[in-house]
Amino acid sequence: MRNTGAESLYVIAVLLVLFSASDGVAALEVKCDSFTPGQIWKDNNGVHINAHGGGILIYEDIYYWFGQHMAEGRAGNKAHVGVHCYSSADLYNWKDEGIVLEVSNDAESDIVKGCVLERPKVIYNEKTNKFVMWFHLELKGKGYSAARSGVAVSNTVTGPYTFVRSFRPNAGCWPVNVREEQKKPVETEKVKEKKFSGGPDATLKDYNVLGRDFEGGQMARDMTLFVDDDGKAYHIYASEENGTMHISLLSEDYLEPAGKYLRVFEGRWMEAPAVCKRNGKYYLIASGCTGWAPNAARSAVADSMWGPWKELGNPCVGQGSDKTFGGQSTYILKVAGKRDAYIVLFDIWRPKNAIDGRYMWLPLQFTGEGIEIKYLQEWDLSCFE
Ligand code: GAL
């Protein structure tokens, strides 16, 4: 159908009214007022948020979301850009704060472009007034064998963050629950030659991986940080070839391990850890070890970060729960100013085109015994009221 002159004038008039509204173009901006797990999530520039394996810091009433910036294609799973940050006052609408830690062009740097830089988390140290970032680092060209922790620091929440160093944590230090046989020399064992794949291996128990890494430091891959009410911070990481997790106390400035750590979930092959605290109890959500492919989530509860930790099983319920509804945990957010409002952040990885990875945020429910997560297609914060 052809437009008549009168119709065209009408369309122009409507557009003029919209643009001349008091807040101009902003009147046309689409604001979000709900979470839509798995869908494209646009930032203030209309671009899908790029902060995978992320975590959230609340600072001066604003939420800051830090995550790994993924690029296009399969190669986009590696770090070509750095750590991306977004800010929000309401958790639905996010402003792009840019790249806060850039990977380096210097071939000698541990964080040279093309390294693997995953699961960055930022915490604020009240004593030093510094923002401290920890992440899982794999050195360029070495697959996932380096299994190191990276640390970066900034005076301002949105950076830029300065890379401090990378290392394997807890070198020369035994965990609080070490067994005497683990302290014996490992030379006579085959552990140094044994190759593990990063996934379940029933022979793990025959090798003293902890002892093997005593001098050089413990392997640290998937990780999170948790700051307790008393200001003590913990680094929780998949260690010992991914077979066993470690919960490691950080120094007062949060820049290094304090030299006290606990082995947990021995031989359970858990990764993607996320921790929260509610009514004095600590809850942990994690996944099994199947790379980018989803598997059934795990959960556990304890009265102290030092354990004992009791496994509670898969917290997800309903259809799709055996594969965590397609996701993998990365963080548990306690919503500011609300009682008992906790959100579990999951990634939905798209390894063939990493930049298209999605987010699945779901409310965490506390049952008498443990925790429960149900899939919701769309929801908002009023579910906590
Ligand atoms: C997953 C891990 C991700 C990433 C991936 C690489 O198991 O949770 O963070 O490392 O493996 O395959």
Side-chain angles (χ1 to χ4, degrees):
M1 198 172 65
R2 286 184 59 214
N3 258 4
T4 63
E7 274 166 349
S8 303
L9 275 179
Y10 176 72
V11 171
I12 291 167
V14 168
L15 283 174
L16 277 176
V17 169
L18 276 173
F19 275 103
S20 62
S22 58
D23 42 1
V25 177
L28 295 174
E29 219 176 72
V30 186
K31 288 266 174 197
C32 255
D33 55 8
S34 66
F35 301 106
T36 51
Q39 302 303 308
I40 290 285
W41 194 345
K42 290 184 177 166
D43 66 9
N44 60 313
N45 300 318
V47 178
H48 181 48
I49 292 172
N50 199 330
H52 310 270
I56 289 179
L57 170 69
I58 306 176
Y59 181 68
E60 292 182 342
D61 297 329
I62 299 290
Y63 296 96
Y64 293 89
W65 177 356
F66 297 86
Q68 61 199 81
H69 181 103
M70 302 285 241
E72 274 176 17
R74 206 169 251 292
N77 293 301
K78 298 231 167 81
H80 303 285
V81 178
V83 176
H84 212 138
C85 174
Y86 296 82
S87 64
S88 173
D90 64 7
L91 290 174
Y92 306 120
N93 298 284
W94 292 88
K95 174 175 173 241
D96 187 357
E97 297 285 357
I99 302 301
V100 295
L101 174 68
E102 281 184 30
V103 291
S104 172
N105 287 314
D106 174 2
E108 299 297 309
S109 167
D110 286 0
I111 57 164
V112 64
K113 265 183 199 167
C115 68
V116 168
L117 194 167
E118 294 180 336
R119 299 183 179 271
K121 305 288 178 295
V122 174
I123 53 181
Y124 174 63
N125 189 296
E126 285 183 3
K127 293 194 184 119
T128 62
N129 286 322
K130 301 231 184 260
F131 298 86
V132 182
M133 179 192 292
W134 283 65
F135 50 88
H136 165 205
L137 179 73
E138 295 294 347
L139 302 174
K140 185 179 177 183
K142 296 206 156 75
Y144 274 76
S145 64
R148 294 163 82 92
S149 300
V151 178
V153 70
S154 172
N155 290 324
T156 52
V157 61
T158 54
Y161 285 73
T162 307
F163 176 62
V164 180
R165 66 180 180 127
S166 87
F167 57 100
R168 282 191 170 187
N170 291 312
C173 180
W174 292 113
V176 291
N177 55 347
V178 65
R179 290 191 294 269
E180 279 314 305
E181 79 264 17
Q182 289 171 314
K183 290 187 178 176
K184 288 186 190 144
V186 293
E187 274 76 22
T188 49
E189 301 175 42
K190 291 266 183 316
V191 66
K192 286 190 174 152
E193 287 94 61
K194 165 76 182 174
K195 294 260 178 288
F196 290 93
S197 70
D201 181 328
T203 70
L204 178 75
K205 58 180 183 339
D206 305 330
Y207 298 91
N208 183 4
V209 175
L210 179 84
R212 180 196 68 188
D213 293 339
F214 175 75
E215 269 177 37
Q218 298 297 324
M219 296 176 82
R221 291 200 184 112
D222 277 11
M223 56 143 278
T224 195
L225 298 178
F226 173 74
V227 182
D228 209 340
D229 305 326
D230 59 3
K232 287 195 162 61
Y234 299 84
H235 176 211
I236 299 114
Y237 54 90
S239 194
E240 302 180 35
E241 305 286 352
N242 283 354
T244 298
M245 243 182 219
H246 291 177
I247 297 180
S248 172
L249 180 70
L250 294 185
S251 55
E252 293 219 335
D253 60 10
Y254 300 168
L255 292 174
E256 55 192 3
K260 182 181 176 190
Y261 69 108
L262 177 80
R263 299 176 76 232
V264 277
F265 316 119
E266 184 177 30
R268 292 285 293 137
W269 303 90
M270 284 160 67
E271 55 182 9
V275 173
C276 71
K277 185 182 190 181
R278 180 213 178 225
N279 289 351
K281 281 192 189 297
Y282 300 83
Y283 294 87
L284 175 134
I285 295 177
S287 74
C289 291
T290 55
W292 300 116
N295 54 54
R298 316 277 185 88
S299 67
V301 64
D303 290 326
S304 155
M305 283 300 276
W306 299 107
W309 284 87
K310 183 183 161 213
E311 273 201 59
L312 295 170
N314 183 353
C316 297
V317 292
Q319 202 189 345
S321 58
D322 56 330
K323 293 268 160 67
T324 313
F325 319 115
Q328 188 184 29
S329 45
T330 182
Y331 196 74
I332 307 174
L333 170 68
K334 184 173 187 326
V335 180
K338 283 189 193 276
R339 222 184 101 83
D340 274 353
Y342 294 78
I343 303 176
V344 190
L345 280 59
F346 297 92
D347 290 286
I348 298 179
W349 304 113
R350 294 273 165 91
K352 289 188 196 141
N353 185 23
I355 196 170
D356 192 36
R358 307 296 173 90
Y359 313 99
M360 178 172 70
W361 291 19
L362 294 171
L364 181 62
Q365 285 166 327
F366 295 88
T367 59
E369 265 297 278
I371 50 176
E372 217 169 73
I373 303 161
K374 289 188 188 120
Y375 179 75
L376 297 169
Q377 220 166 17
E378 183 168 6
W379 65 283
D380 61 49
L381 296 171
S382 68
C383 83
F384 295 119
E385 268 141 30

